[in-house]
Amino acid sequence: MKYLGKISALFLTATVLLTGCGSGNNEKKTSDAGEQKIMEQSFDDSLKGARGTTVTIYGWGGSDQTNNWIDHYLGDKMKKDYDITVKRVGMDIDEVLNNMQNSVQAKEEKGNIDVVWINGENFYTAKENNLLFGPFVDKLPNMDKYVDKNSDEVKYDFGYETEGYEAPFGKAQLVMIYNSDKLQAIKNADDLLKAAKENPGKITYPALPDFTGSAFVRNIVYEKVGYDKLKDIDPKDEKAVREAVKPAMDYLKELKPYLWKEGKTYPTDSTQLDNMFADGTVYFDVSYNPNFASNMVEKGTFPKSTKTCVFDKGTIGNTHFLAIAKNAPNKGGAMVVINEIINFESQNEKYKPDVWGDLPVIDNSKLNDAEKKKIESVKLGSATLPQEELLKKRQPELPADIVPVIEKIWAEEIPGK
């Protein structure tokens, strides 16, 4: 998935300044008073005050399916049921965060962002630099009704505690895509190496720091090293990280000569790899959306022989979230919109492969029989693994601050060597 994004150098520089200087006392008191008023309101009061207003949602806009779900399903429902207008603004996360940071730094009482689609290191940085409103999650009725709030995938975001500052939006999980006319299902790293040797030049992965490429490499690290041996390493100790991931880097070096262009170069991003798979240049692809391959088959872009698989030891999964900007002009409306997004009907709708295919964040044990039957009846595409199988083989994400260290090590040791 691309919604995580990367934090720009400008934003990183600015956040240091923010930590050092902060806002003036008068502005802070005014802001705190406004937040306190919202926090003291009941959800029904927020709903009443939000009628007739507009709520902006800022986030990645690179998927037509995602955009359509927000613009039409969600937008139409919010207008019809609550008289709330949803305005989606497609923007890369680094731009969104710079926007938020600039607004706070300018001491604007009201910015232009209500809801922000966010996760991982970007969430951590925004929260640490006081760019987010909250905690607000406990005010949402549907969190209690449909979500397991004690789940690690809700309490933590890439190893960071969410502390009620973001609500779950959907789930992603890495899957391996393959042309079943050319390859067998790949169940582990050794299977992948064997397939590459038997089909030289027909397998590759996106160059890091592409989000999907980075996840693929981390999955190899899990295979060859194990999540438990990495999760507690200090990311500032690069030597320790380098020593820990050495078996994975050794494996990638062994794999490299059999890859597309002998591993001397790599697709720049997952989109390029998708196109290479579509035209038969390679027989292997990777996606963070388990329904992506089926959608591409349905469109006629990928061959009908396309299938997906996950490693026997599992593949990395994460949750993407929704937060509210610190100086959001419509905090009450933002909470109403987010509450509707985690409603069963909304989660079920976006789970449908022809709509979006995003994995739901709802806890199935909290569903009634009719709801369970409804979600079980969602017809999965020809290349999609059942949700039950995916969840059984779901590995947690590493803390976000170790990810760029692994990416740096890969960049120094693998390409162009």
Side-chain angles (χ1 to χ4, degrees):
M1 303 288 280
K2 299 180 177 64
Y3 40 79
L4 177 67
K6 293 288 175 182
I7 303 173
S8 68
L10 173 63
F11 180 73
L12 285 171
T13 302
T15 53
V16 173
L17 294 175
L18 264 173
T19 304
C21 59
S23 301
N25 288 335
N26 290 337
E27 289 82 356
K28 188 176 189 302
K29 287 178 181 178
T30 300
S31 174
D32 287 349
E35 287 191 23
Q36 188 64 28
K37 183 179 179 181
I38 293 292
M39 294 303 292
E40 290 174 353
Q41 287 182 351
S42 68
F43 184 79
D44 287 341
D45 287 338
S46 295
L47 177 57
K48 188 183 300 183
R51 292 192 181 278
T53 66
T54 295
V55 173
T56 59
I57 300 179
Y58 278 64
W60 179 61
S63 165
D64 289 340
Q65 284 188 310
T66 300
N67 295 343
N68 286 336
W69 184 85
I70 295 173
D71 292 343
H72 299 296
Y73 175 81
L74 180 65
D76 293 348
K77 187 172 182 56
M78 294 308 300
K79 189 65 177 177
K80 178 182 177 182
D81 294 352
Y82 306 101
D83 191 25
I84 293 175
T85 299
V86 172
K87 180 182 178 184
R88 178 185 57 82
V89 181
M91 186 180 290
D92 288 342
I93 190 62
D94 56 344
E95 296 178 78
V96 176
L97 293 179
N98 279 323
N99 182 314
M100 294 165 65
Q101 176 264 316
N102 291 335
S103 180
V104 169
Q105 194 172 30
K107 303 175 183 177
E108 296 176 352
E109 187 175 341
K110 292 185 177 181
N112 57 355
I113 297 174
D114 291 314
V115 178
V116 56
W117 187 4
I118 196 169
N119 72 344
E121 189 174 6
N122 296 310
F123 163 72
Y124 176 78
T125 303
K127 181 174 175 293
E128 286 295 292
N129 288 281
N130 201 31
L131 302 183
L132 301 178
F133 166 74
F136 69 90
V137 166
D138 284 341
K139 294 180 67 65
L140 309 181
N142 283 335
M143 282 295 294
D144 283 323
K145 187 174 182 181
Y146 289 116
V147 178
D148 179 3
K149 296 192 294 184
N150 294 317
S151 164
D152 283 350
E153 293 201 75
V154 175
K155 291 171 61 179
Y156 298 94
D157 182 357
F158 276 70
Y160 298 129
E161 290 189 53
T162 57
E163 297 182 325
Y165 279 80
E166 56 179 1
F169 188 7
K171 292 181 179 180
Q173 186 167 345
L174 196 74
V175 294
M176 315 300 168
I177 302 171
Y178 64 101
N179 185 330
S180 63
D181 282 348
K182 308 293 184 180
L183 303 177
Q184 299 292 320
I186 296 168
K187 298 296 185 178
N188 51 54
D190 292 339
D191 279 358
L192 181 62
L193 178 60
K194 181 174 182 290
K197 288 180 176 180
E198 293 174 353
N199 300 272
K202 292 297 185 179
I203 290 174
T204 189
Y205 56 93
L208 281 60
D210 173 80
F211 187 64
T212 306
S214 180
F216 170 78
V217 168
R218 293 198 302 280
N219 231 110
I220 295 299
V221 172
Y222 283 21
E223 283 279 301
K224 294 299 180 180
V225 179
Y227 167 80
D228 290 339
K229 293 182 180 179
L230 281 166
K231 64 184 178 71
D232 295 324
I233 291 181
D234 182 358
K236 295 177 183 177
D237 188 348
E238 184 178 319
K239 182 179 179 183
V241 177
R242 194 177 292 272
E243 289 176 356
V245 302
K246 186 178 185 301
M249 294 301 145
D250 288 345
Y251 167 85
L252 292 172
K253 290 173 185 176
E254 184 180 2
L255 177 68
K256 180 178 175 175
Y258 307 103
L259 297 179
W260 174 68
K261 294 192 173 180
E262 299 179 335
K264 295 175 182 177
T265 187
Y266 294 80
T268 56
D269 54 30
S270 56
T271 300
Q272 183 181 350
L273 182 58
D274 295 340
N275 292 335
M276 292 167 62
F277 183 84
D279 66 21
T281 301
V282 295
Y283 303 151
F284 178 83
D285 196 358
V286 189
S287 178
Y288 236 130
N289 181 347
N291 286 291
F292 172 73
S294 292
N295 293 339
M296 297 296 274
V297 171
E298 187 70 24
K299 292 178 183 177
T301 305
F302 282 3
K304 292 182 178 180
S305 54
T306 300
K307 301 293 180 184
T308 61
C309 60
V310 291
F311 287 167
D312 285 338
K313 290 183 181 180
T315 55
I316 295 172
N318 65 50
T319 304
H320 48 112
F321 292 85
L322 296 164
I324 300 174
K326 176 76 173 179
N327 58 357
N330 192 359
K331 295 181 177 71
M335 286 191 281
V336 174
V337 169
I338 294 174
N339 187 66
E340 185 58 42
I341 287 173
I342 56 178
N343 188 28
F344 169 78
E345 291 295 341
S346 299
Q347 289 287 312
N348 188 66
E349 181 69 13
K350 72 182 180 65
Y351 178 45
K352 298 174 182 177
D354 58 336
V355 175
W356 179 349
D358 198 34
L359 294 176
V361 297
I362 50 182
D363 178 0
N364 284 3
S365 69
K366 293 192 173 189
L367 302 181
N368 60 42
D369 290 343
E371 289 169 335
K372 288 178 181 178
K373 186 174 181 180
K374 192 168 186 179
I375 203 164
E376 289 169 0
S377 69
V378 171
K379 186 178 180 181
L380 301 179
S382 60
T384 303
L385 296 173
Q387 183 183 185
E388 182 180 358
E389 181 176 348
L390 289 168
L391 295 179
K392 283 181 179 177
K393 296 182 177 180
R394 186 174 174 88
Q395 292 271 18
E397 269 286 8
L398 288 168
D401 45 4
I402 201 173
V403 173
V405 182
I406 295 174
E407 292 173 350
K408 178 177 183 288
I409 293 169
W410 180 89
E412 290 174 354
E413 296 194 11
I414 304 302
K417 302 296 182 182

